[in-house]
Amino acid sequence: MLQVKEVRVFYDKVEALKGISLVLKKGEMAAVLGANGSGKSTLLRTICGLKIPATGELWFDGQDIKGRKPQEVVKMGIALVPEGKRLFPYMTVLENLLVGAYIHSSDKAAVERSLGVVCGHFPILDERKGQLAASLSGGEQQMLAMGRALMAQPRILLLDEPSMGLAPFMKKEIGKIVKIINQDGVSIMLVEQNAVMALKMVNKAYVMQTGKIIAQGTPSELGQDDQIRKAYLGG
């Protein structure tokens, strides 16, 4: 469904991605692991059109998406939940969700269907529709960020550090919901520093270091790699 081929990305003269290649198949959930500064977020930003590669190829469902504007990528079926949530704090929960549905805004029935799906995944958002986003807890804000992305009815959901800053019980709750979203047919690429949690959820994982993929495989394969286990899985 998604193919990234030998992609190189620069910030001025600094090379952030150094020939990255990966594949996400239909229905898969894949993790991208690595320390801060390894290029994980840049990879997601590149896939969704916020960064344009200097070289390489990006393909989604057989279509070339390299250089496409972010709004075009969203319309095609790829949505990003950015690191740090990036909500509109002084808009209500419902208003934030409707922003995510802008590509379907002329189809009220489609928007209502999306709202129904999102509130099914996140009942607390239904209860809090009239509250300002800024008034929500950290976990509720993460749910709102995910719900806003789902309002676009994506086929691929890109999640950038969804567990960051959350209490342990909320991390588990978010993890359960991500699995359900995947089971509903949405392919997921999960960027996560919590490698142990991520590897319990995914079909496969890529490990990044300074802009390169240094290892890839199933969770069990990576768990048998001494170097990966010591560096990312707490020994």
Side-chain angles (χ1 to χ4, degrees):
M1 181 175 260
L2 176 70
Q3 289 182 296
V4 179
K5 298 182 179 181
E6 292 295 324
V7 163
R8 307 176 82 91
V9 172
F10 291 82
Y11 288 96
D12 294 325
K13 295 183 180 180
V14 178
E15 191 173 16
L17 298 182
K18 304 173 182 178
I20 293 288
S21 296
L22 56 78
V23 172
L24 182 68
K25 295 180 181 178
K26 186 176 181 179
E28 272 190 330
M29 187 179 341
V32 181
L33 311 175
N36 278 337
S38 60
K40 306 186 304 297
S41 294
T42 298
L43 172 62
L44 296 193
R45 288 171 60 83
T46 302
I47 292 169
C48 68
L50 292 168
K51 287 293 294 181
I52 298 176
T55 62
E57 300 177 34
L58 290 168
W59 295 87
F60 172 58
D61 202 19
Q63 298 184 69
D64 184 0
I65 61 171
K66 180 182 175 182
R68 299 242 188 174
K69 294 180 179 180
Q71 60 267 35
E72 295 179 62
V73 176
V74 173
K75 286 180 180 179
M76 293 175 74
I78 300 176
L80 170 68
V81 181
E83 181 182 353
K85 308 173 189 74
R86 303 291 181 90
L87 299 173
F88 298 98
Y90 300 111
M91 291 168 59
T92 66
V93 167
L94 179 58
E95 288 167 341
N96 270 274
L97 291 175
L98 292 178
V99 167
Y102 78 95
I103 62 171
H104 306 295
S105 57
S106 62
D107 186 344
K108 291 184 178 180
V111 173
E112 286 299 320
R113 284 195 300 272
S114 294
L115 272 174
V117 170
V118 168
C119 290
H121 287 311
F122 308 105
I124 193 66
L125 298 183
D126 196 25
E127 296 175 23
R128 305 260 199 270
K129 277 182 182 177
Q131 286 186 216
L132 296 182
S135 71
L136 302 180
S137 69
E140 290 167 351
Q141 288 185 9
Q142 185 61 57
M143 291 179 182
L144 179 54
M146 292 169 62
R148 181 180 59 185
L150 289 173
M151 289 294 292
Q153 302 178 8
R155 295 164 64 198
I156 291 181
L157 187 64
L158 308 176
L159 291 168
D160 197 352
E161 303 286 5
S163 74
M164 180 179 288
L166 301 185
F169 81 93
M170 187 55 72
K171 290 181 181 181
K172 289 183 180 179
E173 188 64 24
I174 293 292
K176 289 178 185 176
I177 295 168
V178 170
K179 284 183 179 180
I180 292 170
I181 292 169
N182 179 240
Q183 289 165 2
D184 284 349
V186 180
S187 303
I188 292 175
M189 185 170 290
L190 171 67
V191 160
E192 184 58 69
Q193 282 195 52
N194 188 336
V196 174
M197 182 188 85
L199 290 177
K200 290 178 180 178
M201 299 168 59
V202 300
N203 309 108
K204 65 182 179 185
Y206 297 89
V207 181
M208 291 187 66
Q209 188 176 79
T210 59
K212 296 180 180 180
I213 291 175
I214 60 168
Q216 59 183 284
T218 65
S220 61
E221 288 169 346
L222 293 175
Q224 293 169 17
D225 185 312
D226 288 342
Q227 184 179 357
I228 298 299
R229 191 169 64 245
K230 289 176 182 177
Y232 300 99
L233 305 176

